[in-house]
Amino acid sequence: MKAPVDIVVTGAAGQISYSLLFRLAAGELLGADQPIVLRLLEITPALPALRGVVMELNDCAYPLLHKIVVTDQPRIAFAGVDYAFLVGAKPRNQGMLRSDLLQQNAEIFAVQGKALNEVANRNVKVLVTGNPANTNALIAIKNAPDLAPDCFAAMTMLDHTRAVSLLAGKCGVSTTDIKNVTVWGNHSCTQYPDLHHARVKGAEALSLVENDWFVNEFIPTVQYRGAEIIKARGQSSAASAANAAIAHMRTIVHGTADGDWVSMAVASDGSYGIAEGLVFSFPVTVAAGRINIVKGLDINDFSLQRLRNNETELQEEREAIRYLL
Ligand code: NAX
């Protein structure tokens, strides 16, 4: 039997984790022969609820679930971890400004970045899901100076899978027939889901769909999908977000398929003129655990304007929390 691998999930009593934890324990990330230790971080008032989740995990008798650690201390949660799902964040309450949310959650990711820096495995792979995800990831990176910035990414995989599914539905094909969709920028309504390089069964996607559909239906549907789900369900997307978190980490573990890429928000290296260091969603390939931004794609004026809008928004977010960097 292999030695167990440590995986931490923050916000472990929340609704995304209620799907994520069970899928991790079933072996969906690392496979059916890899035992895992689940390290679960919550704030103190949520520990009683988390104990209920732990009871349910135990009741599943997962053969791969070697041990569960429950704590409200980041340094205990992150000790020796190989994979970190940073899901926990404060929700936006009614009447709360986006800037208030930014400040409150920023503090969480400063603390967690420092703790990861001190105690995590040096090759840890960190996925920030908690919102505002891009800027939270930036804060974690800056507070973890001994970890390489490419240990960190923010999640735009859900936006990516939403885009893939929508295009597949429009073209009447399987999602596996869709390649090279990109979601650029911020995980916010400003994000730019882009089909200029996308292919459907090898054909250019934009030769198969009307431009009006692309501009006036596809783009806003992906941008506002989260809000639509809240309207319908009364709660934000959870199972699909957990699915995307697993898909993101599986891509880190197994790499991207030949000829395809996925979208991940990573520290910009200046590609496509995006200010260096901003955590920005790019098309990426992954090989041997390394994330590589796809270079050299043609970007027309329509796309460039949308990339710039995202860069500006992320620069404004960065200014608002600069004291934590
Ligand atoms: P919930 O409110 O159900 O759960 C969040 C959990 O985090 C709570 O149990 C809370 O106690 C915990 N928490 C708060 N502060 C913490 C801290 N300092 N340390 C550890 N745990 C802490 O939210 P849920 O629906 O699970 O969503 C979690 C986050 O994901 C939110 O910020 C949400 O906005 C974000 N999302 C991001 C998505 C993405 O694509 N990047 C999509 C889904 C989701 O909206």
Side-chain angles (χ1 to χ4, degrees):
M1 201 62 168
K2 294 178 175 174
V5 166
D6 284 63
I7 303 176
V8 63
V9 178
T10 74
Q15 51 150 5
I16 293 176
S17 296
Y18 195 64
S19 172
L20 177 61
L21 295 176
F22 294 84
R23 295 183 61 176
L24 291 172
E28 284 196 39
L29 175 58
L30 298 172
D33 63 346
Q34 178 58 65
I36 62 166
V37 174
L38 276 181
R39 310 183 74 88
L40 309 181
L41 180 68
E42 258 300 349
I43 50 172
T44 316
L47 288 177
L50 181 53
R51 285 195 193 98
V53 177
V54 170
M55 283 186 237
E56 285 202 73
L57 281 165
N58 285 328
D59 291 349
C60 295
Y62 288 117
L64 296 171
L65 188 51
H66 179 73
K67 192 170 134 189
I68 303 174
V69 176
V70 173
T71 180
D72 56 3
Q73 302 297 316
R75 275 173 196 74
I76 295 174
F78 296 150
V81 292
D82 301 292
Y83 299 95
F85 292 86
L86 305 189
V87 181
K90 285 188 190 152
R92 186 165 165 182
N93 300 323
Q94 226 171 1
M96 194 181 194
L97 299 173
R98 187 175 159 83
S99 53
D100 296 337
L101 182 78
L102 187 63
Q103 301 294 339
Q104 294 193 9
N105 283 329
E107 309 276 349
I108 295 175
F109 289 85
V111 169
Q112 293 186 357
K114 287 191 177 81
L116 284 163
N117 194 53
E118 284 173 30
V119 299
N121 182 325
R122 298 301 86 179
N123 292 318
V124 64
K125 303 298 179 197
V126 182
L127 172 63
V128 176
T129 297
N131 277 322
N134 298 51
T135 297
N136 288 341
L138 174 71
I139 295 165
I141 290 171
K142 296 293 182 192
N143 282 276
D146 302 330
L147 295 173
D150 65 5
C151 292
F152 294 83
M155 189 166 98
T156 49
M157 185 63 94
L158 178 55
D159 310 298
H160 184 93
T161 55
R162 284 167 174 164
V164 167
S165 168
L166 199 56
L167 179 60
K170 172 75 176 170
C171 296
V173 300
S174 156
T175 52
T176 56
D177 294 324
I178 306 288
K179 304 264 185 288
N180 307 121
V181 164
T182 306
V183 175
W184 300 91
N186 199 2
H187 173 70
S188 73
C189 298
T190 307
Q191 66 177 257
Y192 172 42
D194 179 13
L195 295 182
H196 283 92
H197 309 281
R199 305 213 155 244
V200 180
K201 290 191 169 177
E204 286 179 21
L206 288 183
S207 70
L208 302 174
V209 300
E210 316 80 61
N211 195 54
D212 182 58
W213 179 82
F214 169 55
V215 175
N216 296 316
E217 205 169 322
F218 172 81
I219 293 176
T221 300
V222 177
Q223 286 173 326
Y224 292 99
R225 186 66 156 188
E228 280 301 305
I229 287 169
I230 293 176
K231 223 190 280 171
R233 232 172 66 86
Q235 283 185 304
S236 55
S237 29
S240 57
N243 183 70
I246 292 194
H248 174 109
M249 279 297 197
R250 277 184 61 86
T251 306
I252 304 276
V253 173
H254 300 289
T256 35
D258 277 351
D260 201 4
W261 63 61
V262 295
S263 306
M264 291 183 182
V266 294
S268 171
D269 59 358
S271 295
Y272 303 99
I274 301 304
E276 247 175 82
L278 275 188
V279 175
F280 194 94
S281 184
F282 289 102
V284 302
T285 56
V286 182
R290 285 194 66 89
I291 301 171
N292 305 296
I293 297 171
V294 176
K295 311 276 186 185
L297 297 174
D298 282 338
I299 305 293
N300 64 17
D301 288 345
F302 178 88
S303 297
L304 194 59
Q305 187 55 49
R306 280 154 184 80
L307 265 64
R308 291 279 158 267
N309 294 346
N310 276 278
E311 184 187 35
T312 303
E313 184 176 73
L314 283 165
Q315 283 170 325
E316 285 166 6
E317 288 187 15
R318 183 172 63 182
E319 283 318 305
I321 50 77
R322 189 166 281 287
Y323 65 100
L324 287 168
L325 301 182

